[in-house]
Amino acid sequence: MREQLAKMKAEALEALGRVQTPSDLDTLRVQYLGKKGELTAVLKQMGKLSAEERPAMGQLANEVRAVLEEALDRTGRRLEQAALEARLKAEAVDVTIPGAVHDIGHKHPMYIALDEIKDIFVGMGFTVLDGPEIELATYNFDKLNAEEGHPSRDWSDTFYFDTESRVMLRSQTSPMQVRAMETMPLPIRIIAPGRVYRKDEVDATHSPMFHQVEGMVIDKGVTMADLKGTLNTVIEKLYGEGTVTRFRPHHFPFTEPSCEMDIQCHKCGGKGCPTCKGEGWIEVLGAGMIHPNVLRMSGIDPEVYSGWAFGMGLERLAMGRFKIADLRLIFENDVRFLEQF
Ligand code: PHE
C-alpha cells in the first residue's frame, strides 16, 4: 500500500506538470481525489491492514492527499496566469503603429460665411435666434401686414401642409420678427438665420430652398440711418473696406419705407458679366423701417418705439464672399468644389 500511494503520488504530480487546460485539471482532480478516485480506492484497502499499521498508513494517505490538493491548486493558478498572459499578448495594442488616415470633412463655405456674419452681429450686441421652418401662415403673412388676398402673397403662397392653408414651409425668415416681438423684452436686437422655401426654378442665382438671415432692431428713436450704417459696416467687415453698396427703393408690406441693397459685382467690379446678369450689381437683401401696423399687431406702441429689419440671402452673400459664380455649386456638395475653402 505504501508503494501504491507513492506511485500514485508520483504519477499524479507528473500528470499535473503536463496539464494544459482547466478541464484536464478537473479530470485529474476527479481521477485522483474524487469519491471514486484512486486515493479512495487505496483507502478502501485499509480494512485489510493490521491495527498497528493502520494509523501510520492513514497518516501517509492524508499527507498524499494534502500534497495532491496543494499541487492541484498550484496548477490551477499556473493555468490562470498563463491564460491571462495569453490574453494580454493577444490584445496588446502597438501604439507606435501609424494610424489609418481618414479624410476629414470641413465646414461648408456657406456656413463659414454664416459664422462670420453671426460673429459680426454678435459683436454689435445682437442675439442669434433659431425658429421653425414649418410656420403658421399667420406669422409668415398676416402679422407681417399681408393678410389673405394681399398681392404680395402670390409669389410665395406655395408649400402648404393642410387644405385650410394654415401651416406652410416659410417663404422668408421675417416671421421671426413677429416671434421675437411677441416674446422678447424691448429693446430688441436679433438676427435669425435659416432655410426658406419658394416655388423658384433652379438657375445660377435661384433655388426652391435657400437660406436667409433676418435681422431686426427695435428701440426708441431708431432710424433708417441706423439701418444703412449697420448694413454698410457689416458688408465692409465681410467683404473688406471700401466695398461699394447701393440702396434702391422697394416695397414690402411689413416695412415702410422699404429698400433693397445691392453690392457691386465681385466678379466684374461693376462692369457687367454673367454672374450679375450684366447689371454690375448683385441684390443681397431687402430691408426697411418696420411698418407701424406690424409693431401694433405685436403689441408694441409705434408712437414710442421704431425699428428696422432686413432679410439677406445667405447663398448670395457667400457667393460674393468666396467669389463663387454659380449658386448650384453651393448645393451640389461636390468635394472638389468644397475642398477649396
Ligand atoms: N422677407 C423679405 C424677403 O424675403 C426681406 C425683408 C426682410 C424685407 C426684412 C424687409 C425687411 O424678400
Side-chain angles (χ1 to χ4, degrees), residues 16 25 28-29 33 67-76:
L16 280 173
L25 183 66
L28 287 180
R29 189 189 297 279
L33 300 182
V67 168
L68 291 189
E69 272 172 355
E70 204 273 323
L72 280 161
D73 287 349
R74 198 173 351 102
T75 310

Side-chain angles (χ1 to χ4, degrees), residues 155 171-172 174 177 198 212 214 252 254-255 286-288 309-311:
W155 57 268
S171 64
Q172 50 185 356
S174 298
Q177 290 181 31
R198 294 183 186 175
Q212 285 187 328
E214 195 78 9
F252 298 103
F254 40 92
T255 47
F310 65 82

Side-chain angles (χ1 to χ4, degrees), residues 10-263:
E11 277 174 11
L13 290 177
E14 202 256 333
L16 280 173
R18 279 184 282 117
V19 97
Q20 295 295 347
T21 67
S23 75
D24 288 352
L25 183 66
D26 279 342
T27 310
L28 287 180
R29 189 189 297 279
V30 174
Q31 184 186 334
Y32 289 103
L33 300 182
K35 268 202 215 104
K36 293 176 184 155
E38 293 190 18
L39 185 65
T40 317
V42 175
L43 288 177
K44 275 188 184 147
Q45 301 166 28
M46 290 274 274
K48 294 185 203 150
L49 297 176
S50 66
E52 300 85 67
E53 279 178 312
R54 235 176 261 160
M57 205 51 77
Q59 198 189 347
L60 183 63
N62 280 338
E63 275 168 26
V64 171
R65 173 186 295 279
V67 168
L68 291 189
E69 272 172 355
E70 204 273 323
L72 280 161
D73 287 349
R74 198 173 351 102
T75 310
R77 286 196 298 275
R78 167 170 70 77
L79 291 181
E80 264 172 36
Q81 185 64 29
L84 179 66
E85 270 165 26
R87 217 181 71 219
L88 287 178
K89 213 169 185 176
E91 291 174 3
V93 176
D94 182 351
V95 293
T96 64
I97 294 175
V101 181
H102 294 289
D103 282 343
I104 303 175
H106 63 91
K107 234 180 229 163
H108 189 283
M110 193 188 73
Y111 282 97
I112 300 175
L114 177 58
D115 280 349
E116 291 176 359
I117 292 166
K118 281 186 190 167
D119 273 355
I120 294 168
F121 278 104
V122 167
M124 292 173 152
F126 285 63
T127 303
V128 182
L129 296 188
D130 193 15
E133 285 169 38
I134 296 173
E135 184 55 283
L136 296 170
T138 322
Y139 283 92
N140 197 79
F141 294 123
D142 301 71
K143 292 184 173 196
L144 287 168
N145 207 27
E147 73 250 359
E148 195 82 63
H150 192 286
S152 74
R153 284 172 76 140
D154 267 6
W155 57 268
S156 53
D157 225 356
T158 164
F159 302 112
Y160 283 96
F161 288 89
D162 60 346
T163 45
E164 294 87 45
S165 307
R166 286 182 307 121
V167 185
M168 62 183 296
L169 285 176
R170 66 179 175 190
S171 64
Q172 50 185 356
T173 45
S174 298
M176 288 307 291
Q177 290 181 31
V178 182
R179 289 186 176 275
M181 283 189 254
E182 286 184 353
T183 55
M184 295 176 75
L186 292 161
I188 299 174
R189 273 196 213 102
I190 56 114
I191 59 166
R195 295 190 187 91
V196 301
Y197 301 84
R198 294 183 186 175
K199 55 187 175 188
D200 284 335
E201 299 280 344
V202 176
D203 69 19
T205 49
H206 292 89
S207 155
M209 185 283 293
F210 62 100
H211 297 73
Q212 285 187 328
V213 182
E214 195 78 9
M216 180 177 79
V217 169
I218 303 179
D219 203 344
K220 290 174 179 159
V222 170
T223 71
M224 191 94 183
D226 300 314
L227 169 67
K228 289 181 78 172
T230 306
L231 288 177
N232 278 334
T233 306
V234 170
I235 292 301
E236 285 206 316
K237 284 204 175 177
L238 204 55
Y239 292 116
E241 250 170 73
T243 304
V244 184
T245 61
R246 72 174 183 191
F247 291 79
R248 282 178 290 101
H250 199 73
H251 174 265
F252 298 103
F254 40 92
T255 47
E256 183 61 36
S258 303
C259 63
E260 280 190 328
M261 189 183 87
D262 303 332
I263 51 174

